[in-house]
Amino acid sequence: MSKKIRVRFAPSPTGFIHMGNIRAALMNYLFAHQKDGDFILRIEDTDVERNIEEASAAILNNLRWFSLNYDEGPITGGEYGPYLQSERTDKYQKLLNELINNNLVYRCFCTKQELENKREVQMAAGQPPRYDRTCLHLSSDKVKEKVAAGQPFIWRFKLNHEAIVEIDTLERGVIKFEYKNFSDFALTRSDGSFTFLFSNFVDDFLMQITHVIRGEDHLTNTPLQAALYNAFSCKLPRYWHLPMICNVEGKKMSKRDFGFGIQELRDAGYLPMAILNYLAILGNSLDPEIQSLGELTKNYNFENISSTGAIKFDAEKLKWVNHKWIERTPVLKLVELVKPFLHDQIDASISLSDKKLEFILEKVKANLKTLVDIGDLISFYFKKPEINILNIEKQFGLDKAKIALDIIKNNIDLADKTEQFIEKIKSQSKDYGLKFNEIFGTVRYLLTGSFNGISVHDLMEMLSDEEIIDRLKI
Ligand code: GLU
C-alpha cells in the first residue's frame, strides 16, 4: 500500500499575507483533498521578530475566511505537533546532535565581515561565491581553543561537492543539481537559533511530508534540504515549485502592486471564493473557469500544471471572476456581505431594512463587480442627484434633449404607475423619432445622475413614488 499523502502550508508570520501564500495554501489543500491525504498547517515563526502572535492570528483568520480547513495545525493539534516552529527547538537540537555525532557538520567561526571579504575576492576573480571551508580545516585543538574562548560560531553542513542530486518535481520532472555549485550551508545562526533551511527540513522530515508544494523562490533551497534527507537516509518528498506571480511589467509582485495583499482585496470587496478560483486559473486551464472549492478539489488537473518560470497577474480577470461569484451568491447572503461596505460609505444606509436592501440587490446585483461598488451604485437611492440639463444636451444633442424632457413632463402624472409610464414614454418617443436609449437615458439621468446602469423599470420599483415625481419634475 502506498504511503498516505501528507502536504503542508508553512507560512512565516510576517504580518503580510499575499496571493503567493494563499495560492500555496490552496494548492496544498486541493492536492490533499483530491488524493485523500492530510493537509497540515505549520507556522514558521523562528525567523521573525515582531508581532508574531498577531501575525499568526492573521494567518488562521485568513485560512478560515477562505474556508481552507486543515487537518493538523495550531489549535487543531495532531500527532506530529507542535505546529509552531518556536515550540520545536528541542527537535532541531536533537537532529543537529545526530549530524554532529556522525561528523556531517562543522563549526564555522568566520565573521560576517570575513565572509563578505572572501565573497568579494571570489567575485573579483570571476569565481562563483562559495564558502572556502576555512573552518572545515581547523584542527580539533584550534576548535576547542576557540570554543573555550567563547568565540561565536555557526554549524555548517559538509556537502559532498562531487555529488549530483536528482530532485523529482511535479512541474519539470527530474531536475539535477551539482553540489559543487553550492556552499556548505548554515544550520544555525551565531546566537544558536536554527536557520530556515534546517528547521524547515526537520519539520518536513518529522511530520512525514510526502509532497512539498511551495513557491519557486525556494527552488535553490531544495537541493540543500535534499542533502539533509540523504544524511538521514530518508527518501525525498516530491516537490512542486509554484511559478512566481508577476505584475503586468513581468516583475515579481510586491506589496506595491494592487491585488497582491489579501487584506487589500478583502477591503476592496473581493469574495474569498473568487480569489481562490482566480488563483486556480493562474498557471492552469480550467473548464469551466468558474468552479467552487468542491469542484476544484474534484477537477483540478495536477498533470497539466504550468512549468513556466513566471505567470502574470491580471487584475481585470480577477474582477471578472469576482463578478461571477457575486452573481452566484444567494441574495440573502449578499445582503450580509455588502452591509459593512455600504454602512462605511453612506451613513444614511444604516436605517435601510434588510428586506429593502435585498430588493435593491436583486436589481443591482448584475452591476456589482466588487462589494465596494455598492456605495457608488446605489448612492442615488439615498440622495437626490444634482442635475444639470446641459449634460443631457451634451449627451443626446439639444433637440433630442428637449423632446425627451417634454415627453417626461407630459407623462409625469403616470410616474406612480411604472408599467404605464414606461409604455407611454416609449410610444411617444417612437412618434417623435427618439431612440429608446435617449428617452430612458434621460429618465435614468434624472433619477440617478447617471446615463447608464440599472434599468428604468427597476429604478422606478426601487424609489418611492414621491421621490420619482420629485426627481422627474424639473
Ligand atoms: N516559511 C516559508 C515561506 O513562507 C515556507 C517555505 C516552504 O513552504 O517550504 O516562504
Side-chain angles (χ1 to χ4, degrees):
M1 209 180 94
S2 64
K3 220 166 137 189
K4 186 168 195 196
I5 283 177
R6 289 175 58 78
V7 294
R8 85 308 189 263
F9 171 48
S12 304
T14 59
F16 180 70
I17 299 167
H18 53 72
M19 281 279 201
N21 297 131
I22 298 305
R23 184 188 46 168
L26 172 67
M27 291 303 142
N28 276 289
Y29 174 98
L30 294 178
F31 196 81
H33 279 74
Q34 189 177 96
K35 298 173 191 305
D36 221 3
D38 292 327
F39 173 47
I40 292 129
L41 170 66
R42 179 174 78 228
I43 300 212
E44 304 211 320
D45 58 350
T46 48
D47 199 16
V48 278
E49 278 150 22
R50 282 159 294 122
N51 298 331
I52 290 179
E53 257 173 52
E54 214 177 286
S56 301
I59 293 170
L60 301 182
N61 168 306
N62 271 291
L63 288 178
R64 244 192 324 271
W65 189 67
F66 282 110
S67 303
L68 294 174
N69 304 328
Y70 42 88
D71 304 298
E72 296 168 30
I75 304 174
T76 317
E79 248 185 88
Y80 298 83
Y83 294 90
L84 291 179
Q85 283 195 331
S86 53
E87 295 171 6
R88 297 177 61 83
T89 313
D90 55 332
K91 301 185 192 308
Y92 309 142
Q93 190 59 53
K94 186 162 172 278
L95 264 70
L96 175 64
N97 291 346
E98 279 188 45
L99 293 173
I100 296 171
N101 292 339
N102 292 332
N103 200 23
L104 292 168
V105 291
Y106 60 93
R107 287 184 179 88
C108 173
F109 299 91
C110 297
T111 62
K112 272 209 173 94
Q113 190 55 54
E114 283 165 348
L115 294 172
E116 189 48 42
N117 295 346
K118 288 176 207 259
R119 242 177 81 86
E120 274 170 21
V121 171
Q122 287 173 332
M123 302 273 272
Q127 294 161 356
R130 210 180 72 176
Y131 179 56
D132 67 357
R133 290 188 154 171
T134 308
C135 292
L136 176 63
H137 305 301
L138 292 176
S139 68
S140 60
D141 284 348
K142 196 85 195 146
V143 170
K144 272 190 202 135
E145 201 180 290
K146 283 175 180 282
V147 172
Q151 216 174 305
F153 65 87
I154 61 170
W155 285 102
R156 282 187 189 272
F157 185 84
K158 209 190 313 173
L159 278 174
N160 175 1
H161 280 151
E162 267 79 63
I164 292 175
V165 65
E166 294 192 347
I167 313 270
D168 187 11
T169 71
L170 253 61
E171 75 278 12
R172 294 190 190 101
V174 173
I175 313 182
K176 288 186 187 174
F177 292 92
E178 295 180 89
Y179 281 128
K180 68 172 194 235
N181 297 322
F182 293 87
S183 288
D184 290 344
F185 56 97
L187 304 183
T188 58
R189 302 189 192 91
S190 54
D191 62 2
S193 64
F194 296 92
T195 58
F196 160 75
L197 259 173
F198 187 55
S199 49
N200 180 268
F201 152 74
V202 172
D203 291 343
D204 285 345
F205 174 45
L206 297 182
M207 291 182 179
Q208 300 201 18
I209 299 303
T210 58
H211 293 73
V212 172
I213 302 174
R214 60 182 174 187
E216 201 167 47
D217 46 341
H218 288 289
L219 184 60
T220 48
N221 294 327
T222 300
L224 302 179
Q225 293 179 321
L228 289 165
Y229 275 98
N230 286 332
F232 287 94
S233 310
C234 184
K235 187 171 173 278
L236 290 185
R238 276 195 87 187
Y239 289 86
W240 177 16
H241 302 98
L242 303 164
M244 291 292 99
I245 307 178
C246 295
N247 61 18
V248 273
E249 286 138 32
K251 297 212 179 78
K252 190 176 158 190
M253 275 186 103
S254 75
K255 270 187 188 178
R256 273 162 298 154
D257 294 303
F258 172 79
F260 194 50
I262 297 299
Q263 192 54 48
E264 188 178 29
L265 291 175
R266 289 178 73 156
D267 294 344
Y270 284 81
L271 303 186
M273 195 50 233
I275 300 173
L276 294 181
N277 196 159
Y278 176 72
L279 287 169
I281 292 172
L282 266 187
N284 205 332
S285 51
L286 295 186
D287 185 20
E289 284 198 300
I290 301 304
Q291 296 194 34
S292 67
L293 199 50
E295 288 163 333
L296 287 172
T297 299
K298 218 166 101 219
N299 304 333
Y300 194 87
N301 184 357
F302 290 97
E303 307 302 317
N304 188 31
I305 52 184
S306 161
S307 62
T308 61
I311 40 179
K312 264 193 192 156
F313 173 74
D314 178 349
E316 279 311 306
K317 179 81 183 231
L318 172 62
K319 206 179 230 185
W320 176 81
V321 175
N322 201 55
H323 186 209
K324 291 283 165 204
W325 272 100
I326 287 179
E327 274 178 357
R328 269 194 173 204
T329 306
V331 73
L332 278 179
K333 173 107 200 309
L334 216 47
V335 167
E336 292 312 316
L337 292 175
V338 298
K339 261 202 266 180
F341 290 91
L342 189 57
H343 295 171
D344 232 31
Q345 296 174 65
I346 303 173
D347 290 343
S349 70
I350 309 276
S351 52
L352 192 69
S353 72
D354 283 8
K355 244 281 41 62
K356 187 76 194 180
L357 182 55
E358 183 190 337
F359 179 80
I360 294 176
L361 275 172
E362 289 282 12
K363 313 281 175 211
V364 305
K365 202 173 151 182
N367 296 310
L368 208 57
K369 297 217 163 46
T370 72
L371 300 176
V372 99
D373 289 349
I374 190 70
D376 279 350
L377 214 52
I378 69 168
S379 61
F380 73 87
Y381 179 84
F382 301 95
K383 195 166 170 277
K384 186 176 169 180
E386 305 244 353
I387 295 301
N388 186 345
I389 301 294
L390 279 178
N391 287 337
I392 310 177
E393 294 173 359
K394 253 191 241 151
Q395 183 79 6
F396 301 122
L398 204 66
D399 297 344
K400 300 271 179 111
K402 189 173 170 339
I403 299 172
L405 289 169
D406 280 348
I407 292 177
I408 294 166
K409 198 163 153 200
N410 291 340
N411 292 293
I412 200 115
D413 292 347
L414 289 176
D416 57 349
K417 299 180 192 70
T418 306
E419 318 292 339
Q420 285 187 38
F421 175 79
I422 288 178
E423 270 319 302
K424 218 35 193 281
I425 61 171
K426 241 167 131 177
S427 71
Q428 289 189 359
S429 297
K430 234 188 206 156
D431 297 343
Y432 288 101
L434 219 57
K435 292 192 197 104
F436 286 160
N437 80 315
E438 289 163 342
I439 184 69
F440 287 122
T442 307
V443 175
R444 191 180 293 112
Y445 176 69
L446 295 178
L447 293 179
T448 69
S450 161
F451 289 98
N452 303 307
I454 308 164
S455 79
V456 166
H457 182 277
D458 287 347
L459 285 172
M460 293 182 75
E461 293 213 317
M462 283 162 66
L463 293 163
S464 68
D465 294 343
E466 298 78 54
E467 276 295 332
I468 297 171
I469 292 168
D470 182 45
R471 294 182 188 196
L472 294 184
K473 214 188 253 169
I474 50 160

PDB file of all heavy atoms in Angstrom, residues 341-357:
ATOM      1  N   PHE A 341     -19.817  47.353   3.828  1.00  0.00           N
ATOM      2  CA  PHE A 341     -19.283  48.259   2.806  1.00  0.00           C
ATOM      3  C   PHE A 341     -20.207  49.459   2.624  1.00  0.00           C
ATOM      4  O   PHE A 341     -19.775  50.596   2.515  1.00  0.00           O
ATOM      5  CB  PHE A 341     -19.119  47.521   1.470  1.00  0.00           C
ATOM      6  CG  PHE A 341     -18.010  46.517   1.504  1.00  0.00           C
ATOM      7  CD1 PHE A 341     -18.251  45.202   1.858  1.00  0.00           C
ATOM      8  CD2 PHE A 341     -16.709  46.900   1.201  1.00  0.00           C
ATOM      9  CE1 PHE A 341     -17.223  44.275   1.908  1.00  0.00           C
ATOM     10  CE2 PHE A 341     -15.668  45.983   1.250  1.00  0.00           C
ATOM     11  CZ  PHE A 341     -15.928  44.658   1.609  1.00  0.00           C
ATOM     12  N   LEU A 342     -21.493  49.163   2.624  1.00  0.00           N
ATOM     13  CA  LEU A 342     -22.496  50.205   2.423  1.00  0.00           C
ATOM     14  C   LEU A 342     -22.488  51.174   3.611  1.00  0.00           C
ATOM     15  O   LEU A 342     -22.443  52.395   3.439  1.00  0.00           O
ATOM     16  CB  LEU A 342     -23.865  49.538   2.258  1.00  0.00           C
ATOM     17  CG  LEU A 342     -25.009  50.426   1.820  1.00  0.00           C
ATOM     18  CD1 LEU A 342     -24.686  51.104   0.501  1.00  0.00           C
ATOM     19  CD2 LEU A 342     -26.303  49.606   1.671  1.00  0.00           C
ATOM     20  N   HIS A 343     -22.502  50.614   4.828  1.00  0.00           N
ATOM     21  CA  HIS A 343     -22.543  51.462   6.028  1.00  0.00           C
ATOM     22  C   HIS A 343     -21.295  52.335   6.119  1.00  0.00           C
ATOM     23  O   HIS A 343     -21.350  53.467   6.591  1.00  0.00           O
ATOM     24  CB  HIS A 343     -22.664  50.591   7.284  1.00  0.00           C
ATOM     25  CG  HIS A 343     -23.973  49.848   7.330  1.00  0.00           C
ATOM     26  ND1 HIS A 343     -24.247  48.876   8.252  1.00  0.00           N
ATOM     27  CD2 HIS A 343     -25.087  49.936   6.554  1.00  0.00           C
ATOM     28  CE1 HIS A 343     -25.463  48.394   8.037  1.00  0.00           C
ATOM     29  NE2 HIS A 343     -25.989  49.019   7.005  1.00  0.00           N
ATOM     30  N   ASP A 344     -20.212  51.803   5.650  1.00  0.00           N
ATOM     31  CA  ASP A 344     -18.956  52.538   5.650  1.00  0.00           C
ATOM     32  C   ASP A 344     -19.006  53.754   4.753  1.00  0.00           C
ATOM     33  O   ASP A 344     -18.421  54.783   5.033  1.00  0.00           O
ATOM     34  CB  ASP A 344     -17.882  51.594   5.079  1.00  0.00           C
ATOM     35  CG  ASP A 344     -16.712  51.505   5.990  1.00  0.00           C
ATOM     36  OD1 ASP A 344     -16.923  51.629   7.206  1.00  0.00           O
ATOM     37  OD2 ASP A 344     -15.586  51.304   5.476  1.00  0.00           O
ATOM     38  N   GLN A 345     -19.719  53.619   3.642  1.00  0.00           N
ATOM     39  CA  GLN A 345     -19.710  54.681   2.639  1.00  0.00           C
ATOM     40  C   GLN A 345     -20.878  55.645   2.758  1.00  0.00           C
ATOM     41  O   GLN A 345     -20.754  56.809   2.424  1.00  0.00           O
ATOM     42  CB  GLN A 345     -19.723  54.066   1.225  1.00  0.00           C
ATOM     43  CG  GLN A 345     -18.491  53.241   0.906  1.00  0.00           C
ATOM     44  CD  GLN A 345     -18.624  52.547  -0.449  1.00  0.00           C
ATOM     45  OE1 GLN A 345     -18.684  53.187  -1.481  1.00  0.00           O
ATOM     46  NE2 GLN A 345     -18.689  51.244  -0.448  1.00  0.00           N
ATOM     47  N   ILE A 346     -22.030  55.150   3.227  1.00  0.00           N
ATOM     48  CA  ILE A 346     -23.228  56.002   3.262  1.00  0.00           C
ATOM     49  C   ILE A 346     -23.878  55.889   4.635  1.00  0.00           C
ATOM     50  O   ILE A 346     -24.493  54.858   4.955  1.00  0.00           O
ATOM     51  CB  ILE A 346     -24.233  55.592   2.147  1.00  0.00           C
ATOM     52  CG1 ILE A 346     -23.541  55.663   0.772  1.00  0.00           C
ATOM     53  CG2 ILE A 346     -25.483  56.462   2.180  1.00  0.00           C
ATOM     54  CD1 ILE A 346     -24.361  55.119  -0.367  1.00  0.00           C
ATOM     55  N   ASP A 347     -23.746  56.934   5.438  1.00  0.00           N
ATOM     56  CA  ASP A 347     -24.294  56.884   6.804  1.00  0.00           C
ATOM     57  C   ASP A 347     -25.783  56.558   6.814  1.00  0.00           C
ATOM     58  O   ASP A 347     -26.250  55.767   7.628  1.00  0.00           O
ATOM     59  CB  ASP A 347     -24.077  58.232   7.510  1.00  0.00           C
ATOM     60  CG  ASP A 347     -22.597  58.434   7.820  1.00  0.00           C
ATOM     61  OD1 ASP A 347     -21.857  57.420   7.790  1.00  0.00           O
ATOM     62  OD2 ASP A 347     -22.188  59.585   8.056  1.00  0.00           O
ATOM     63  N   ALA A 348     -26.515  57.193   5.885  1.00  0.00           N
ATOM     64  CA  ALA A 348     -27.970  57.026   5.879  1.00  0.00           C
ATOM     65  C   ALA A 348     -28.387  55.575   5.636  1.00  0.00           C
ATOM     66  O   ALA A 348     -29.525  55.187   5.918  1.00  0.00           O
ATOM     67  CB  ALA A 348     -28.578  57.921   4.814  1.00  0.00           C
ATOM     68  N   SER A 349     -27.464  54.772   5.137  1.00  0.00           N
ATOM     69  CA  SER A 349     -27.838  53.391   4.802  1.00  0.00           C
ATOM     70  C   SER A 349     -28.066  52.528   6.034  1.00  0.00           C
ATOM     71  O   SER A 349     -28.640  51.451   5.955  1.00  0.00           O
ATOM     72  CB  SER A 349     -26.772  52.751   3.916  1.00  0.00           C
ATOM     73  OG  SER A 349     -25.591  52.525   4.657  1.00  0.00           O
ATOM     74  N   ILE A 350     -27.635  53.027   7.189  1.00  0.00           N
ATOM     75  CA  ILE A 350     -27.798  52.256   8.431  1.00  0.00           C
ATOM     76  C   ILE A 350     -29.288  51.952   8.661  1.00  0.00           C
ATOM     77  O   ILE A 350     -29.646  50.900   9.175  1.00  0.00           O
ATOM     78  CB  ILE A 350     -27.257  53.046   9.665  1.00  0.00           C
ATOM     79  CG1 ILE A 350     -25.848  53.543   9.404  1.00  0.00           C
ATOM     80  CG2 ILE A 350     -27.380  52.235  10.952  1.00  0.00           C
ATOM     81  CD1 ILE A 350     -24.732  52.583   9.660  1.00  0.00           C
ATOM     82  N   SER A 351     -30.153  52.904   8.265  1.00  0.00           N
ATOM     83  CA  SER A 351     -31.578  52.697   8.550  1.00  0.00           C
ATOM     84  C   SER A 351     -32.300  51.878   7.469  1.00  0.00           C
ATOM     85  O   SER A 351     -33.505  51.641   7.560  1.00  0.00           O
ATOM     86  CB  SER A 351     -32.270  54.054   8.740  1.00  0.00           C
ATOM     87  OG  SER A 351     -31.970  54.853   7.632  1.00  0.00           O
ATOM     88  N   LEU A 352     -31.565  51.458   6.468  1.00  0.00           N
ATOM     89  CA  LEU A 352     -32.193  50.655   5.404  1.00  0.00           C
ATOM     90  C   LEU A 352     -32.496  49.245   5.934  1.00  0.00           C
ATOM     91  O   LEU A 352     -31.616  48.596   6.507  1.00  0.00           O
ATOM     92  CB  LEU A 352     -31.195  50.559   4.237  1.00  0.00           C
ATOM     93  CG  LEU A 352     -31.717  50.015   2.918  1.00  0.00           C
ATOM     94  CD1 LEU A 352     -32.681  51.007   2.286  1.00  0.00           C
ATOM     95  CD2 LEU A 352     -30.540  49.786   1.958  1.00  0.00           C
ATOM     96  N   SER A 353     -33.707  48.781   5.743  1.00  0.00           N
ATOM     97  CA  SER A 353     -34.033  47.444   6.262  1.00  0.00           C
ATOM     98  C   SER A 353     -33.401  46.368   5.375  1.00  0.00           C
ATOM     99  O   SER A 353     -33.124  46.600   4.197  1.00  0.00           O
ATOM    100  CB  SER A 353     -35.549  47.256   6.291  1.00  0.00           C
ATOM    101  OG  SER A 353     -36.011  47.120   4.969  1.00  0.00           O
ATOM    102  N   ASP A 354     -33.204  45.186   5.961  1.00  0.00           N
ATOM    103  CA  ASP A 354     -32.640  44.074   5.191  1.00  0.00           C
ATOM    104  C   ASP A 354     -33.533  43.729   4.007  1.00  0.00           C
ATOM    105  O   ASP A 354     -33.074  43.391   2.926  1.00  0.00           O
ATOM    106  CB  ASP A 354     -32.472  42.823   6.074  1.00  0.00           C
ATOM    107  CG  ASP A 354     -31.257  42.955   6.961  1.00  0.00           C
ATOM    108  OD1 ASP A 354     -30.655  44.045   6.987  1.00  0.00           O
ATOM    109  OD2 ASP A 354     -30.923  41.970   7.652  1.00  0.00           O
ATOM    110  N   LYS A 355     -34.834  43.828   4.241  1.00  0.00           N
ATOM    111  CA  LYS A 355     -35.806  43.496   3.190  1.00  0.00           C
ATOM    112  C   LYS A 355     -35.615  44.403   1.983  1.00  0.00           C
ATOM    113  O   LYS A 355     -35.580  43.956   0.845  1.00  0.00           O
ATOM    114  CB  LYS A 355     -37.207  43.716   3.760  1.00  0.00           C
ATOM    115  CG  LYS A 355     -38.065  42.709   3.922  1.00  0.00           C
ATOM    116  CD  LYS A 355     -38.980  41.720   3.781  1.00  0.00           C
ATOM    117  CE  LYS A 355     -39.203  40.694   2.787  1.00  0.00           C
ATOM    118  NZ  LYS A 355     -38.242  39.719   2.557  1.00  0.00           N
ATOM    119  N   LYS A 356     -35.496  45.708   2.287  1.00  0.00           N
ATOM    120  CA  LYS A 356     -35.350  46.689   1.211  1.00  0.00           C
ATOM    121  C   LYS A 356     -34.000  46.493   0.496  1.00  0.00           C
ATOM    122  O   LYS A 356     -33.912  46.553  -0.735  1.00  0.00           O
ATOM    123  CB  LYS A 356     -35.448  48.108   1.798  1.00  0.00           C
ATOM    124  CG  LYS A 356     -35.485  49.207   0.765  1.00  0.00           C
ATOM    125  CD  LYS A 356     -36.836  49.302   0.084  1.00  0.00           C
ATOM    126  CE  LYS A 356     -36.757  50.158  -1.162  1.00  0.00           C
ATOM    127  NZ  LYS A 356     -38.016  50.301  -1.871  1.00  0.00           N
ATOM    128  N   LEU A 357     -32.970  46.221   1.306  1.00  0.00           N
ATOM    129  CA  LEU A 357     -31.651  46.022   0.704  1.00  0.00           C
ATOM    130  C   LEU A 357     -31.669  44.788  -0.202  1.00  0.00           C
ATOM    131  O   LEU A 357     -31.084  44.783  -1.291  1.00  0.00           O
ATOM    132  CB  LEU A 357     -30.590  45.875   1.806  1.00  0.00           C
ATOM    133  CG  LEU A 357     -29.141  45.709   1.341  1.00  0.00           C
ATOM    134  CD1 LEU A 357     -28.709  46.840   0.405  1.00  0.00           C
ATOM    135  CD2 LEU A 357     -28.181  45.650   2.537  1.00  0.00           C
TER     136      LEU A 357
END
